[in-house]
Amino acid sequence: MKILVVSHTYIVDLNREKLRELARLEPNIEVTVVVPRRWRPGGVQNKIIETQPLQEGSFRVVPVSNFSENNQGLLTFGADIIPLLRQFRPQIIQVEQGAKALGYAQLIALNQLLGLKAKTIFFTWWNLPYEVKFPLSVLHTYNLHNTHGLVAGNQDAAEVLKLHGYNGEFIVMPQLGVDESRFRPQPQPELKQQLGIQPDEFVVGFVGRFVEEKGLLTLGKALAGIKEHPWKWLLLGRGSLQSVLMEKATEWGIKDQIIWVESVPHDQVPRYINLMNALVLPSETTYKFKTLTAAGWKEQFGHVLIEAMASKVPVIGSDSGEIPNVIGDAGLVFPEGNVEGLRNALVSLMAQPELTQKLAELGYERAMNQYTNKALARRLLDFYKAVIHH
């Protein structure tokens, strides 16, 4: 099977592991990844990534000239993509830029013009209802009408597209898996001592952006009400809410129980996760249904959950967006914004070491079975086969 995957995401080598695993699953699989030749990460001025070609057996990365260097919806490719398509003749073309992307329309059109007869698939994270107005509606309709399969990053993304008339094949899975060679159980006694964590203290962890929608104020209030168990709150990240959190911590009387760690290199994150007795993702949805147009946010996946699970750290999450589906029965879920519900979940783990251990094992098993790059690659290949034979 010849598979062509198109996305700016795979400029970063670390993000390619799922596709490398895909190329290794069976002897007849070839995976070609098309990435833009030039890209500005996050739209940063004067910072341009010049991508390089890569060949590893049946897996390769091919940089192609591109228009738009910082907007995935507007990203399209130069004429050099045509000989690549003619030479490779893929059976699957997967574009990971969303339902309204120009690049997806371009690949659909080239697939038809060149007579490749490939099945066209796209990936999306978008999990809020939306309206599409003319002329963008023409592009959106064209893309959906010519889609043979959908890879949705969360269940809500699939449901949103059903509202727009999509009734084809789909699978729900994240774009990136967890690297179990990096995120694994690794005791960190020296780091624990360095940060002043005592042996009897239960470490509640958060990793991510310090912004209101991540529910950190709810987590802080929940912790502030726990007096019967010794604990520390490990906050790894940065963001605009940090000064507010510091003020509230003083107000709640928990300032000395918080450990602030500025963003660290990605390869150091597993060390800090391994300090935690529980990782909490208390995300809070910020939109309300009124019409098909919704402004706001809700959790699209929560990748840090599977990183913690792979490290045998129990997880607690709110019921925002995809979080309950990620956790399943391998952790604790509370109603978003509910301080008492979160406090009860925390206390249940602090008071019951056997429950903490049980959830650690269940989470690890779930991460290994469903969320490693190899597990995602296998699910993706099975999906491709189903789409081809549909």
Side-chain angles (χ1 to χ4, degrees):
M1 184 186 298
K2 292 186 174 184
I3 302 159
L4 186 84
V5 180
V6 181
S7 178
H8 73 291
T9 299
Y10 303 114
I11 288 172
V12 179
D13 189 66
L14 192 65
N15 292 345
R16 300 168 182 166
E17 290 307 310
K18 175 190 69 183
L19 301 178
R20 283 190 172 95
E21 291 289 353
L22 181 61
R24 297 184 188 119
L25 286 177
E26 294 179 5
N28 65 335
I29 296 174
E30 295 178 50
V31 177
T32 293
V33 183
V34 168
V35 295
R37 186 170 291 162
R38 293 163 57 89
W39 195 253
R40 296 179 188 269
V44 178
Q45 289 296 322
N46 302 320
K47 183 179 180 181
I48 298 178
I49 294 176
E50 299 271 358
T51 55
Q52 301 299 318
L54 177 73
Q55 180 84 51
E56 297 174 353
S58 60
F59 172 82
R60 65 173 173 165
V61 177
V62 182
V64 174
S65 62
N66 56 291
F67 305 98
S68 179
E69 295 178 351
N70 60 12
N71 186 309
Q72 60 173 311
L74 299 177
L75 172 64
T76 51
F77 295 94
D80 46 331
I81 199 168
I82 295 174
L84 170 63
L85 290 168
R86 279 183 171 147
Q87 177 269 326
F88 188 54
R89 301 197 69 81
Q91 295 160 279
I92 293 285
I93 296 174
Q94 179 165 314
V95 181
E96 303 193 356
Q97 310 295 150
K100 295 173 281 188
L102 278 172
Y104 185 42
Q106 180 187 28
L107 268 294
I108 289 171
L110 288 173
N111 179 44
Q112 294 169 343
L113 289 169
L114 299 174
L116 302 177
K117 298 181 181 178
K119 300 292 186 179
T120 46
I121 294 169
F122 75 95
F123 174 91
T124 182
W125 282 114
W126 193 257
N127 60 349
L128 297 179
Y130 61 88
E131 268 183 325
V132 191
K133 296 181 179 179
F134 183 83
L136 192 57
S137 58
V138 177
L139 175 68
H140 186 256
T141 301
Y142 174 76
N143 284 349
L144 289 186
H145 181 72
N146 290 284
T147 291
H148 301 102
L150 161 67
V151 182
N154 48 67
Q155 187 63 46
D156 286 334
E159 297 302 322
V160 166
L161 284 163
K162 286 180 184 178
L163 293 176
H164 287 276
Y166 180 75
N167 57 7
E169 302 276 336
F170 74 91
I171 187 173
V172 177
M173 57 179 280
Q175 191 175 29
L176 307 174
V178 64
D179 183 348
E180 71 274 27
S181 69
R182 295 178 59 250
F183 291 93
R184 56 189 174 85
Q186 307 171 67
Q188 300 290 330
E190 291 180 11
L191 184 57
K192 195 170 186 177
Q193 187 175 20
Q194 180 186 324
L195 294 175
I197 299 169
Q198 300 304 310
D200 65 334
E201 289 177 327
F202 190 97
V203 180
V204 177
F206 172 86
V207 180
R209 297 175 296 127
F210 300 166
V211 290
E212 196 166 346
E213 60 265 28
K214 286 296 183 177
L216 289 169
L217 293 174
T218 298
L219 177 52
K221 290 175 190 174
L223 284 168
I226 300 175
K227 310 296 185 185
E228 65 272 35
H229 301 282
W231 55 265
K232 283 282 176 68
W233 186 11
L234 175 58
L235 284 160
L236 177 59
R238 63 178 66 175
S240 57
L241 197 66
Q242 184 164 352
S243 59
V244 176
L245 279 171
M246 286 179 168
E247 289 175 13
K248 289 293 185 182
T250 301
E251 179 186 319
W252 296 328
I254 63 171
K255 184 177 67 171
D256 295 337
Q257 290 168 273
I258 300 180
I259 301 169
W260 301 92
V261 180
E262 287 283 326
S263 297
V264 297
H266 194 64
D267 62 356
Q268 293 297 305
V269 172
R271 296 184 64 212
Y272 289 89
I273 288 180
N274 271 279
L275 293 174
M276 301 171 188
N277 296 104
L279 178 133
V280 183
L281 187 59
S283 304
E284 295 176 9
T285 303
T286 63
Y287 83 97
K288 303 292 181 187
F289 279 111
K290 288 182 181 177
T291 66
L292 276 180
T293 305
W297 176 89
K298 66 177 172 178
E299 190 64 66
Q300 293 180 329
F301 185 77
H303 203 271
V304 70
L305 291 169
I306 62 175
E307 293 173 344
M309 291 155 76
S311 305
K312 285 195 178 180
V313 173
V315 294
I316 299 173
S318 74
D319 59 359
S320 174
E322 190 67 5
I323 291 175
N325 296 328
V326 176
I327 293 177
D329 60 358
L332 301 179
V333 177
F334 68 97
E336 58 177 278
N338 188 312
V339 173
E340 187 177 352
L342 176 50
R343 184 181 297 139
N344 289 341
L346 287 165
V347 169
S348 67
L349 293 187
M350 292 177 181
Q352 302 176 72
E354 67 283 0
L355 175 62
T356 303
Q357 183 60 35
K358 177 185 176 182
L359 292 180
E361 296 292 342
L362 287 173
Y364 180 78
E365 184 180 337
R366 185 173 178 84
M368 294 304 103
N369 289 340
Q370 296 191 30
Y371 294 123
T372 65
N373 287 300
K374 189 168 186 176
L376 293 182
R378 170 51 65 187
R379 289 184 64 206
L380 197 55
L381 180 59
D382 290 344
F383 179 64
Y384 289 160
K385 289 179 178 178
V387 169
I388 286 174
H389 295 119
H390 182 71

